[in-house]
Amino acid sequence: MQDATLTWRKSTRSGAAGHCVEVATVPSTVLMRDSKDVAGPVLAFGDTDWAGFIDGVRDGEFDRPRT
């Protein structure tokens, strides 16, 4: 989604290597894209789905198993 009115932001914890995602918000939707491919695909999450995703992140649901 290439929209000049969107304000994309990334975590303040993002490293200098740029391996991160960026988010932007529009009414009732959070957009996410790869910061290294700003012209690439954009994921869209409704408010409820985004809240569930954030809860999962906080709960460690997406943590990779340690080997």
Side-chain angles (χ1 to χ4, degrees), residues 33-66:
R33 69 180 181 186
D34 183 341
S35 65
K36 296 180 304 303
D37 185 12
V38 298
V42 173
L43 299 174
F45 298 91
D47 288 338
T48 302
D49 291 332
W50 182 254
F53 171 71
I54 295 301
D55 288 344
V57 169
R58 288 182 179 142
D59 291 343
E61 183 178 336
F62 309 109
D63 292 355
R64 293 174 37 172
R66 294 179 189 235

Side-chain angles (χ1 to χ4, degrees), residues 9-25:
R9 57 189 197 280
K10 56 186 165 184
S11 172
T12 56
R13 295 183 182 208
S14 297
H19 300 105
C20 56
V21 296
E22 297 174 315
V23 296
T25 57

